[in-house]
Amino acid sequence: MRAKVLVTAITAVGFLQLIVTKNPYCALNVPQESEPMESSTPPLSSKTTTNLPRPSSDCNFHFKDRRKGVKEPCEGCTSQGAQDVILGRIFGAIGTENKQCVEFGFGYGSEKAKAMTLADFGVGKNDTSGTDKGKLLSGLNTQALLVDGWKGLFIDAEVSNPNINLAKHVLTMENIAQVFQEENVPINVDYVSIDVDSIDVWLLYGLLADGYRPRVISVEYNANFPPHMLLACERTWAPWVRRSRVYGSSAASINMVAEMFGYQVVEIMVSLDMFFVRKDLLKSQCRNSEQLPNFRTLAENRAGEDTHRFCNSAQVSRLVDFPLSLIGLEEEAKAKAIDSVEELNQWREERGMKAYCNLATVH
């Protein structure tokens, strides 16, 4: 049974106020903080570590990007972009509790995944510069963590491979926490990476609403949507059509869920991932936690990009207004999403960009 979530109001300016309450009679029996993930894969590190800086330390998680005309070097990066560098900065500031991570929804090719071993990730090698990044399926966010001795769990809808701790599950908003429980993921797992190009925000919501509290979370967002738009794909998963502009969720929708459950965005990559850290960790470990850039500041230089090439009426019909869909008003959510896309087309035209989607055949 799911935790009860009471939605109190949507104000005239469109801000959704949600009060989250837990029903003690249907609490999920999640693993305790000290319980490690079990797997047929030999453990990469049997020691739980805590490596916390002094509370007087300042934190800086920003990675310079191409929008500023300056791009930091990313030598040795194994992730798609600079995700592993950003993660290094985050955990360098807040430390680690269990050095365990979960990644799903990105880069798995059935045949390649079936044949992989931990050696393909560079685990056990002193020099990973020769690692075949292509074989690692476009760069996993967690590869550098595994090389550093972390224990990882991967989840895929079609493939399993015990050699790399890849488990086969079809994740939904309703079952994601139960799957984590079955796979013995601790409630405070250090890091979770979400990138499914579809129901990302719904998986984030399901995981947090049912009691899990990862210390750090990254979620890919749809950079086509500007910072003020609360749009998402509907909660039923559908495969991404290559180069389509319809995928995932707006940065604002993802941020809304994260803030509901006590997380703060600390970095937004151009066209890729958003990174969230639990606010209690930022407050205890970052002297400048109150001065860190907020969502609006980070998103204004990231969201509203021209990402991917096309959109048609069938694809855009999958979009919903996230707050309305969250409270079960599905027809209203779809209608408002169409209005938002019309607004987005105008917003982009005013900035000299091509329309997001041709809505001529949607109505």
Side-chain angles (χ1 to χ4, degrees):
M1 188 181 299
R2 294 184 55 76
K4 292 184 178 179
V5 178
L6 306 180
V7 182
T8 58
I10 301 178
T11 69
V13 295
F15 179 77
L16 183 64
Q17 295 178 330
L18 297 103
I19 300 176
V20 179
T21 62
K22 288 291 180 183
N23 184 339
Y25 299 102
C26 62
L28 184 67
N29 182 26
V30 297
Q32 298 302 307
E33 294 187 5
S34 60
E35 183 176 343
M37 283 190 289
E38 296 179 356
S39 167
S40 56
T41 305
L44 301 178
S45 175
S46 59
K47 184 173 69 173
T48 299
T49 61
T50 302
N51 178 25
L52 300 178
R54 294 187 302 174
S56 60
S57 301
D58 281 348
C59 297
N60 177 19
F61 309 114
H62 181 62
F63 189 86
K64 293 179 181 178
D65 59 77
R66 63 179 181 270
R67 284 288 294 271
K68 296 291 186 180
V70 178
K71 190 172 182 178
E72 292 186 34
C74 195
E75 296 180 5
C77 285
T78 54
S79 51
Q80 183 182 19
Q83 288 94 333
D84 46 7
V85 174
I86 295 169
L87 288 170
R89 293 179 180 179
I90 291 174
F91 287 109
I94 69 170
T96 57
E97 286 293 330
N98 44 63
K99 298 189 79 172
Q100 298 185 38
C101 54
V102 183
E103 181 166 7
F104 51 90
F106 172 71
Y108 296 115
S110 297
E111 295 307 314
K112 287 184 177 181
K114 288 178 182 178
M116 289 178 69
T117 67
L118 289 176
D120 295 315
F121 290 78
V123 175
K125 298 180 180 180
N126 294 326
D127 179 12
T128 60
S129 60
T131 301
D132 183 359
K133 185 176 179 181
K135 190 171 185 179
L136 292 189
L137 314 175
S138 301
L140 298 167
N141 288 356
T142 53
Q143 182 183 348
L145 300 179
L146 297 184
V147 172
D148 194 38
W150 286 49
K151 185 175 177 61
L153 168 68
F154 302 103
I155 300 175
D156 186 75
E158 299 179 347
V159 183
S160 64
N161 180 351
N163 292 323
I164 58 172
N165 207 15
L166 170 59
K168 181 179 178 180
H169 296 282
V170 178
L171 295 176
T172 67
M173 181 183 74
E174 291 77 17
N175 77 0
I176 183 171
Q178 187 65 39
V179 169
F180 272 45
Q181 181 189 18
E182 292 172 3
E183 296 293 341
N184 294 301
V185 179
I187 191 172
N188 68 330
V189 59
D190 268 324
Y191 174 53
V192 172
S193 173
I194 302 175
D195 180 355
V196 298
D197 293 327
S198 177
I199 58 172
D200 306 65
V201 72
W202 300 106
L203 293 179
L204 175 65
Y205 178 82
L207 183 67
L208 300 180
D210 275 342
Y212 271 87
R213 291 296 181 271
R215 300 175 77 243
V216 179
I217 303 171
S218 68
V219 187
E220 187 187 52
Y221 70 102
N222 188 327
N224 288 288
F225 303 134
H228 65 281
M229 287 192 167
L230 290 162
L231 287 171
C233 287
E234 58 192 354
R235 63 185 75 192
T236 301
W237 181 85
W240 178 56
V241 178
R242 185 170 177 79
R243 300 303 180 190
S244 170
R245 288 174 172 165
V246 177
Y247 64 94
S249 311
S250 67
S253 297
I254 297 168
N255 186 68
M256 188 184 86
V257 172
E259 288 194 342
M260 285 169 55
F261 294 98
Y263 288 81
Q264 179 174 332
V265 62
V266 296
E267 178 62 306
I268 302 179
M269 299 179 67
V270 173
S271 304
L272 291 172
D273 296 347
M274 305 173 69
F275 288 82
F276 300 92
V277 178
R278 286 198 338 237
K279 290 182 179 179
D280 63 301
L281 298 173
L282 291 175
K283 185 175 181 180
S284 66
Q285 301 305 321
C286 298
R287 182 178 59 184
N288 61 336
S289 61
E290 298 297 326
Q291 288 74 48
L292 290 173
N294 59 21
F295 169 74
R296 183 177 296 274
T297 299
L298 292 172
E300 67 181 358
N301 290 322
R302 307 296 196 279
E305 290 274 313
D306 193 5
T307 304
H308 297 304
R309 300 175 182 174
F310 72 93
C311 166
N312 59 41
S313 59
Q315 293 166 356
V316 82
S317 65
R318 294 173 45 217
L319 293 176
V320 295
D321 177 83
F322 178 68
L324 290 175
S325 182
L326 185 61
I327 59 175
L329 300 177
E330 300 301 340
E331 291 186 9
E332 294 87 345
K334 285 186 173 291
K336 187 171 181 180
I338 297 300
D339 292 341
S340 295
V341 171
E342 291 177 341
E343 176 191 340
L344 176 56
N345 284 341
Q346 181 177 355
W347 184 89
R348 291 167 66 94
E349 182 179 351
E350 291 171 353
R351 288 158 178 78
M353 304 166 69
K354 293 182 179 180
Y356 169 73
C357 194
N358 182 357
L359 297 176
T361 59
V362 173
H363 297 289

